[in-house]
Amino acid sequence: MSESGQVSWPEGQPLWTFDWRLADAPDEEGIVISRAAYRGHQVFAKASLPSLRVQYDGDACGPYKDPLNYDNSHPTRHCPGRRVCVYSYSGGGQRALSVDSYHTIGAYRLTHRWVFWSNGVVMPRLFSAGLQCRFDHRHHAYWRFDFDIDGPPRDLLLEYNSYGGDEGWGRGWHPFRRETRRVKNAPSRRAWATVDMDSGRGYYLLPGPNDGKADAFSTGDLWLLRYHAAEDRHGRQGSAAGDGLDAYVNGEDVYGQDLVVWYCGHLFHRVSGGGDEWHAIGPDLVPVGPW
Ligand SMILES: [Cu+2]
């Protein structure tokens, strides 16, 4: 089964337009956002959460790959009778449109949410509570952002480091020419941005404060890949044992190409916090340039 819809928000003078869909295997990748545009300029061809891996200390349980699908989603009080809840609210002088779904997997409770703000900011989020196994563990959430800023071609990914020089994209910003896997580096305030070379429009990708960092089990924070349809494996990407993303990093040119950016948030869940505590991870996507 699946549930899907189209958004044009706010009504009358839309800032955001996109399609959404929550489906079962093999398309179990949480709520999938597609054909998203802000102020009439394309942002994503597709954005989704194809993989959610869990590792326990000492492998006391698992590891697991938890699917986010229609089958394990449930209606909430907010939206009776529906699995995907679409609603708007205001905060900090901005309006927001939220699209979310609530899932249970064993004792886990999970909310997958996309928030689209009127100022162009996008907040992908995963909220987690519940204890399946009474050992400290880490949830690794892999978001896949198939950016098509102003259309598929001519995009590039920049990385900011406070120690970087000026290479023509602002002090500290370095453009990647080849596919790569990257890890966070808080001391240099490392962040990323995907930019269309012609329009100058783009999106910063700013790691969230609770997003942790890569470890031996989940070895990356960001992957920059050239788009290939065959590399979109939907909910079948990777397994409990491995995310399978390094296999796509094979030296392809990514400078001014059609790009896919994967971002992983690493959520440390201490058993001592109990099962009712909710944890949240996810980056902020912030528009840059003349939107
Ligand atoms: Cu947990």
Side-chain angles (χ1 to χ4, degrees):
M1 295 268 290
S2 68
E3 201 168 281
S4 59
Q6 288 190 327
V7 161
S8 179
W9 176 85
E11 249 176 75
Q13 280 191 310
L15 292 168
W16 280 106
T17 55
F18 57 85
D19 300 340
W20 57 264
R21 182 167 185 258
L22 177 66
D24 280 323
D27 293 332
E28 45 188 4
E29 42 188 334
I31 299 169
V32 176
I33 304 295
S34 55
R35 299 192 313 125
Y38 177 61
R39 293 185 181 275
H41 302 288
Q42 194 173 4
V43 178
F44 308 115
K46 179 180 172 185
S48 57
L49 180 41
S51 185
L52 179 57
R53 301 169 61 222
V54 188
Q55 185 199 30
Y56 285 83
D57 278 1
D59 284 333
C61 305
Y64 303 113
K65 182 175 189 283
D66 294 323
L68 291 175
N69 58 32
Y70 179 87
D71 187 52
N72 62 27
S73 69
H74 308 274
T76 56
R77 246 175 318 178
H78 205 152
C79 284
R82 296 192 61 82
R83 306 291 182 95
V84 176
C85 194
V86 182
Y87 56 98
S88 59
Y89 59 94
S90 294
Q94 297 289 327
R95 286 164 298 160
L97 185 77
S98 182
V99 183
D100 69 26
S101 55
Y102 173 71
H103 304 257
T104 57
I105 301 173
Y108 290 139
R109 288 164 280 152
L110 299 153
T111 295
H112 182 211
R113 178 175 296 160
W114 295 93
V115 184
F116 298 85
W117 290 90
S118 50
N119 62 3
V121 172
V122 182
M123 295 180 174
R125 291 290 182 271
L126 184 73
F127 300 86
S128 161
L131 284 172
Q132 175 69 16
C133 181
R134 304 200 64 81
F135 294 90
D136 289 353
H137 57 279
R138 285 152 299 279
H139 302 262
H140 304 277
Y142 294 79
W143 278 276
R144 179 181 180 276
F145 302 112
D146 177 356
F147 283 105
D148 279 5
I149 296 175
D150 286 306
R154 301 283 290 164
D155 287 354
L156 60 81
L157 185 87
L158 301 154
E159 178 177 282
Y160 177 80
N161 289 286
S162 54
Y163 56 69
D166 191 337
E167 303 177 51
W169 299 95
R171 219 191 71 77
W173 289 97
H174 168 73
F176 288 108
R177 295 184 175 274
R178 301 282 164 201
E179 292 180 320
T180 187
R181 164 165 56 92
R182 304 296 293 164
V183 293
K184 291 173 190 128
N185 188 49
S188 67
R189 290 182 279 131
R190 183 167 293 169
W192 296 277
T194 307
V195 176
D196 182 87
M197 295 175 76
D198 296 327
S199 70
R201 282 184 279 272
Y203 264 86
Y204 295 118
L205 193 161
L206 310 175
N210 304 313
D211 287 1
K213 55 183 184 181
D215 60 20
F217 177 79
S218 178
T219 57
D221 294 319
L222 179 135
W223 289 258
L224 165 61
L225 304 173
R226 184 147 169 184
Y227 173 82
H228 293 290
E231 291 178 2
D232 181 2
R233 303 206 11 94
H234 306 259
R236 293 161 301 187
Q237 178 62 44
S239 64
D243 51 55
L245 294 173
D246 286 351
Y248 304 145
V249 180
N250 55 359
E252 285 182 276
D253 175 17
V254 288
Y255 192 82
Q257 303 296 340
D258 183 1
L259 304 183
V260 173
V261 176
W262 287 78
Y263 173 83
C264 189
H266 314 273
L267 172 63
F268 186 36
H269 193 177
R270 272 190 190 78
V271 165
S272 57
D276 287 330
E277 201 171 82
W278 281 88
H279 306 267
I281 48 172
D284 286 355
L285 307 179
V286 177
V288 54
W291 293 90

